[in-house]
Amino acid sequence: MNHTPAHHRLRASDHDRDATVQRLGDALGDGALDNTEYGRRLDHALTATTQADLHRLTADLPASPAARDRAETARRTAKARADRRAWRSEWSYWAGAAVIMTAIWAVSALREGDWTRYWPAAPLGIWAAVLVSYAIWPSDDD
Protein backbone atom coordinates (compact mmCIF):
# COMPACT_ATOMS: atom_id res chain seq x y z
CA MET A 1 0.00 0.00 0.00
CA ASN A 2 1.37 3.45 -0.99
CA HIS A 3 1.29 5.97 1.90
CA THR A 4 2.68 8.87 -0.12
CA PRO A 5 0.25 11.84 -0.26
CA ALA A 6 -1.39 12.16 -3.67
CA HIS A 7 0.17 15.55 -4.39
CA HIS A 8 3.66 14.10 -3.83
CA ARG A 9 3.10 11.56 -6.61
CA LEU A 10 2.61 14.40 -9.09
CA ARG A 11 5.36 15.09 -11.59
CA ALA A 12 7.70 17.93 -10.67
CA SER A 13 7.81 20.99 -12.93
CA ASP A 14 10.80 23.18 -13.70
CA HIS A 15 9.32 25.75 -11.30
CA ASP A 16 9.15 23.11 -8.55
CA ARG A 17 12.78 22.14 -9.13
CA ASP A 18 13.83 25.82 -9.16
CA ALA A 19 12.03 26.44 -5.85
CA THR A 20 13.81 23.44 -4.31
CA VAL A 21 17.19 24.63 -5.62
CA GLN A 22 16.46 28.06 -4.05
CA ARG A 23 15.56 26.38 -0.74
CA LEU A 24 18.75 24.32 -0.82
CA GLY A 25 20.78 27.46 -1.57
CA ASP A 26 19.17 29.20 1.40
CA ALA A 27 20.03 26.21 3.61
CA LEU A 28 23.65 26.35 2.42
CA GLY A 29 23.81 30.08 3.10
CA ASP A 30 22.23 29.62 6.54
CA GLY A 31 24.74 26.89 7.42
CA ALA A 32 22.16 24.10 7.59
CA LEU A 33 23.99 22.22 4.79
CA ASP A 34 27.68 21.87 4.07
CA ASN A 35 29.03 22.11 0.51
CA THR A 36 29.15 18.34 0.00
CA GLU A 37 25.57 17.74 1.15
CA TYR A 38 24.38 20.77 -0.82
CA GLY A 39 26.02 19.41 -4.00
CA ARG A 40 24.49 15.97 -3.52
CA ARG A 41 21.00 17.38 -2.93
CA LEU A 42 21.35 19.85 -5.78
CA ASP A 43 22.14 17.03 -8.23
CA HIS A 44 19.06 15.15 -7.03
CA ALA A 45 16.88 18.27 -7.24
CA LEU A 46 17.87 18.95 -10.82
CA THR A 47 16.94 15.41 -11.89
CA ALA A 48 13.86 14.91 -9.67
CA THR A 49 10.76 13.68 -11.45
CA THR A 50 8.10 13.83 -8.70
CA GLN A 51 7.05 16.17 -5.93
CA ALA A 52 8.00 13.43 -3.44
CA ASP A 53 11.58 13.39 -4.79
CA LEU A 54 11.83 17.13 -4.14
CA HIS A 55 10.10 16.97 -0.76
CA ARG A 56 12.62 14.40 0.52
CA LEU A 57 15.45 16.83 -0.28
CA THR A 58 14.09 19.62 1.92
CA ALA A 59 11.93 17.89 4.55
CA ASP A 60 14.66 18.01 7.22
CA LEU A 61 15.69 21.64 6.63
CA PRO A 62 14.79 24.38 9.11
CA ALA A 63 12.89 27.49 8.02
CA SER A 64 15.20 29.91 6.28
CA PRO A 65 15.59 33.52 7.47
CA ALA A 66 16.52 34.50 3.89
CA ALA A 67 13.28 32.98 2.56
CA ARG A 68 11.27 34.75 5.28
CA ASP A 69 12.97 38.04 4.36
CA ARG A 70 12.16 37.55 0.65
CA ALA A 71 8.54 36.74 1.48
CA GLU A 72 8.24 39.80 3.74
CA THR A 73 9.77 42.04 1.07
CA ALA A 74 7.35 40.65 -1.53
CA ARG A 75 4.42 41.21 0.86
CA ARG A 76 5.45 44.82 1.54
CA THR A 77 5.95 45.50 -2.18
CA ALA A 78 2.53 44.06 -3.04
CA LYS A 79 0.89 46.13 -0.29
CA ALA A 80 2.59 49.32 -1.49
CA ARG A 81 1.41 48.67 -5.05
CA ALA A 82 -2.13 47.97 -3.88
CA ASP A 83 -2.11 51.15 -1.78
CA ARG A 84 -0.95 53.22 -4.77
CA ARG A 85 -3.69 51.68 -6.97
CA ALA A 86 -6.31 52.42 -4.31
CA TRP A 87 -5.08 56.01 -3.94
CA ARG A 88 -5.22 56.56 -7.73
CA SER A 89 -8.73 55.08 -7.76
CA GLU A 90 -9.82 57.50 -5.05
CA TRP A 91 -8.53 60.40 -7.13
CA SER A 92 -10.43 59.10 -10.15
CA TYR A 93 -13.61 59.04 -8.03
CA TRP A 94 -12.82 62.60 -6.96
CA ALA A 95 -12.38 63.67 -10.60
CA GLY A 96 -15.67 62.03 -11.58
CA ALA A 97 -17.47 63.80 -8.76
CA ALA A 98 -15.82 67.08 -9.81
CA VAL A 99 -17.15 66.68 -13.34
CA ILE A 100 -20.67 65.87 -12.12
CA MET A 101 -20.77 68.70 -9.54
CA THR A 102 -19.33 71.18 -12.01
CA ALA A 103 -21.96 70.20 -14.58
CA ILE A 104 -24.73 70.66 -12.00
CA TRP A 105 -23.25 74.02 -10.98
CA ALA A 106 -22.91 75.15 -14.63
CA VAL A 107 -26.50 74.24 -15.49
CA SER A 108 -27.74 75.99 -12.36
CA ALA A 109 -25.56 79.06 -12.97
CA LEU A 110 -26.67 79.24 -16.61
CA ARG A 111 -30.32 79.03 -15.58
CA GLU A 112 -29.94 81.68 -12.85
CA GLY A 113 -27.41 83.85 -14.67
CA ASP A 114 -25.14 83.94 -11.59
CA TRP A 115 -21.63 82.63 -12.23
CA THR A 116 -20.01 84.09 -9.09
CA ARG A 117 -20.31 81.32 -6.50
CA TYR A 118 -18.69 77.98 -7.43
CA TRP A 119 -20.21 75.82 -4.67
CA PRO A 120 -18.46 72.54 -5.68
CA ALA A 121 -15.19 74.04 -4.41
CA ALA A 122 -16.14 73.29 -0.78
CA PRO A 123 -16.92 69.54 -1.04
CA LEU A 124 -14.17 68.96 -3.61
CA GLY A 125 -11.64 70.86 -1.49
CA ILE A 126 -12.49 68.88 1.64
CA TRP A 127 -12.35 65.59 -0.26
CA ALA A 128 -9.00 66.51 -1.84
CA ALA A 129 -7.61 67.52 1.58
CA VAL A 130 -8.58 64.11 2.98
CA LEU A 131 -6.88 62.32 0.06
CA VAL A 132 -3.72 64.41 0.45
CA SER A 133 -3.71 63.70 4.20
CA TYR A 134 -3.62 59.95 3.45
CA ALA A 135 -0.54 60.50 1.30
CA ILE A 136 1.18 62.54 4.02
CA TRP A 137 0.13 60.37 6.97
CA PRO A 138 -0.46 56.83 5.69
CA SER A 139 -2.32 54.30 7.79
CA ASP A 140 -0.35 51.68 9.73
CA ASP A 141 -3.07 48.99 9.52
CA ASP A 142 -0.91 46.08 8.26
Side-chain angles (χ1 to χ4, degrees):
M1 177 173 213
N2 189 349
H3 296 296
T4 305
H7 68 278
H8 282 194
R9 290 190 297 262
L10 294 175
R11 290 194 61 82
S13 68
D14 288 342
H15 181 274
D16 298 328
R17 282 185 282 278
D18 291 345
T20 300
V21 167
Q22 177 71 53
R23 179 108 160 77
L24 293 172
D26 289 344
L28 176 66
D30 295 341
L33 294 176
D34 62 23
N35 284 332
T36 304
E37 182 64 11
Y38 169 76
R40 185 187 70 74
R41 291 185 189 205
L42 180 63
D43 290 340
H44 283 48
L46 295 174
T47 59
T49 56
T50 67
Q51 295 285 330
D53 296 337
L54 294 174
H55 178 73
R56 280 191 290 277
L57 298 172
T58 60
D60 64 335
L61 298 177
S64 169
R68 273 194 309 270
D69 291 346
R70 276 193 308 278
E72 178 60 21
T73 298
R75 186 198 64 77
R76 273 189 261 121
T77 300
K79 182 180 180 331
R81 285 183 183 145
D83 289 348
R84 281 192 300 275
R85 274 192 310 273
W87 199 66
R88 282 192 302 269
S89 291
E90 286 294 330
W91 277 106
S92 70
Y93 301 146
W94 180 91
V99 167
I100 292 168
M101 284 189 251
T102 300
I104 293 169
W105 168 80
V107 167
S108 176
L110 183 62
R111 194 177 301 154
E112 295 171 10
D114 180 15
W115 296 87
T116 57
R117 190 173 156 278
Y118 180 68
W119 62 264
L124 292 173
I126 293 168
W127 192 355
V130 169
L131 292 177
V132 168
S133 76
Y134 285 132
I136 295 171
W137 301 288
S139 166
D140 290 334
D141 58 351
D142 283 323

